């Protein structure tokens, strides 16, 4: 069950204007190279792939296929809502550096906080540095949940995105190696109270089933801020500590919910939540991503319509 103590070989991948550092024996590296835009490069090959201020926000807003958090960020800028971005479960940092690069290309300096408790943390930090984003990005080696202190974290070194606070997440078929370590765990409310005040937050949560635990650790944020949140919705894993349908029914009281895990983004109607959960359970990979847009967000219809027509 324990992994070797030998240093793990690393690989640098250039993809879509970014540099991402991987462990070579992680399935994530093999998966990344399946993208036709990706190629393995050496550190000597690194060169700037974009320049600050080379993107016009109005033009980017009109483009099809824009990243969700790029759209959310542009909406915040348009509505003059000061905000930061928080990446929960940052893994190797693809989302972190993609959004950080977008901010710089738009001439913006919103800060990014990337949380990652796993052993890929050192590579996350280096990836941020290689993409010239360490001046605006803070990497924190901690898990987020509904408690603070220390907690058992289940690592899957050969499939790092599957690592989780939940033992159920690493007991699934197909997980080839697991081991447990003790990591720091925080509540997002507590962390946000220590940073610069902003009226808005953009939060991506990818906690391998523990996403509702993270949400339970941010009641103040949800009550007082314009916080747009994306969660991974994995009913089979959520079953270990909550009723997935009931959790969504409660969220529907505060948020417009959009299923953003498929090719087409679709609204999740309150009356259809039980059926939606059943459909997710029946998928070949029984999970999806859900975007939560709070009803109190200024010009919510503008953002919702844009996302549905991305």
């Amino acid at each position: 069950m324990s992994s070797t103590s030998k240093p793990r070989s690393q690989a640098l991948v250039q993809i879509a204007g970014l540099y991402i550092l991987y462990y070579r024996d992680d399935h994530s590296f093999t998966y990344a190279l399946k993208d036709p835009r990706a190629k393995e490069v050496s550190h000597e090959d690194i060169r700037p792939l974009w320049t600050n201020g080379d993107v016009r926000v109005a033009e980017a807003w009109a483009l099809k296929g824009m990243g969700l958090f790029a759209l959310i960020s542009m909406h915040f800028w348009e509505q003059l809502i000061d905000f930061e971005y928080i990446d929960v479960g940052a893994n190797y940092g693809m989302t972190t550096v993609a959004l950080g690069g977008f901010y710089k290309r738009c001439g913006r300096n919103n800060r990014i906080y990337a949380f990652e408790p796993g052993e890929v943390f050192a590579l996350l930090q280096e990836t941020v540095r290689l993409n010239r984003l360490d001046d605006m990005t803070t990497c924190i080696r901690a898990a987020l949940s509904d408690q603070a202190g220390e907690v058992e974290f289940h690592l899957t070194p050969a499939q790092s995105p599957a690592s989780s606070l939940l033992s159920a997440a690493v007991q699934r078929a197909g997980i080839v190696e697991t081991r447990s370590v003790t990591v720091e765990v925080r509540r997002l409310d507590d962390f946000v109270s220590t940073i610069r005040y902003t009226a808005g937050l953009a939060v991506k949560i990818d906690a391998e089933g523990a996403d509702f635990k993270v949400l339970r650790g941010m009641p103040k944020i949800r009550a007082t801020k314009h916080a747009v949140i994306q969660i991974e919705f994995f009913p089979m894993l959520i079953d270990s500590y909550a009723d997935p349908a009931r959790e969504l029914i409660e969220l529907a009281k505060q948020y417009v919910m959009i299923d953003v895990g498929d090719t087409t983004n679709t609204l999740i109607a309150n009356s259809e939540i039980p059926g939606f959960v059943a459909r997710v359970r029946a998928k070949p990979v029984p999970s999806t991503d859900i975007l939560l847009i709070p009803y109190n967000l200024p010009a919510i219809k503008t953002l919702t319509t844009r996302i549905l027509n991305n």
Side-chain angles (χ1 to χ4, degrees), residues 46-277:
I46 292 176
R47 57 183 177 80
L49 299 174
W50 45 264
T51 58
N52 292 3
D54 67 353
V55 169
R56 295 183 179 181
V57 172
E59 293 177 359
W61 175 263
L63 295 175
K64 285 287 188 179
M66 288 295 295
L68 284 177
F69 281 98
L71 292 175
I72 292 162
S73 299
M74 287 187 281
H75 185 80
F76 277 137
W77 293 332
E78 176 66 21
Q79 299 302 316
L80 303 179
I81 299 171
D82 193 13
F83 73 99
E84 312 282 36
Y85 172 67
I86 298 177
D87 190 348
V88 182
N91 198 243
Y92 288 104
M94 172 65 83
T95 305
T96 289
V97 297
L99 197 60
F102 180 72
Y103 288 172
K104 284 203 169 185
R105 295 184 69 181
C106 291
R108 308 288 177 148
N109 60 0
N110 300 79
R111 287 206 63 82
I112 294 174
Y113 298 93
F115 285 84
E116 174 52 53
E119 58 187 10
V120 301
F121 179 77
L123 274 62
L124 166 65
Q125 285 186 305
E126 182 64 6
T127 288
V128 167
R129 188 191 69 80
L130 291 175
N131 287 278
R132 301 175 290 140
L133 300 170
D134 43 329
D135 60 332
M136 65 187 298
T137 306
T138 302
C139 300
I140 302 114
R141 188 163 193 175
L144 289 173
S145 187
D146 54 357
Q147 60 178 298
E150 293 186 335
V151 70
E152 185 179 44
F153 186 73
H154 306 282
L155 289 172
T156 53
Q159 301 149 295
S160 60
S163 300
S164 177
L165 291 173
L166 303 180
S167 60
V170 299
Q171 293 169 356
R172 290 173 284 165
I175 301 297
V176 299
E177 176 189 2
T178 70
R179 61 186 175 87
S180 298
V181 296
T182 300
V183 301
E184 180 185 4
V185 64
R186 300 186 185 185
R187 297 171 70 253
L188 194 52
D189 269 357
D190 299 335
F191 173 75
V192 168
S193 71
T194 68
I195 63 175
R196 180 178 76 89
Y197 174 81
T198 60
L201 279 179
V203 184
K204 187 218 84 180
I205 304 172
D206 187 353
E208 285 301 295
D211 301 64
F212 287 104
K213 289 181 176 286
V214 180
L215 288 173
R216 292 173 184 176
M218 49 187 295
K220 185 175 180 180
I221 290 169
R222 293 172 55 192
T224 62
K225 290 182 180 286
H226 302 302
V228 180
I229 306 165
Q230 180 181 313
I231 62 171
E232 183 185 45
F233 184 67
F234 208 135
M236 180 180 71
L237 301 184
I238 299 165
D239 286 338
S240 65
Y241 66 93
D243 179 329
R246 185 168 297 175
E247 295 291 331
L248 289 187
I249 289 168
E250 286 301 310
L251 287 176
K253 297 175 182 178
Q254 187 179 359
Y255 300 97
V256 170
M257 299 191 299
I258 303 177
D259 181 359
V260 294
D262 292 319
T263 304
T264 302
N265 299 331
T266 56
L267 280 173
I268 303 170
N270 297 3
S271 61
E272 297 176 357
I273 286 173
F276 168 77
V277 175

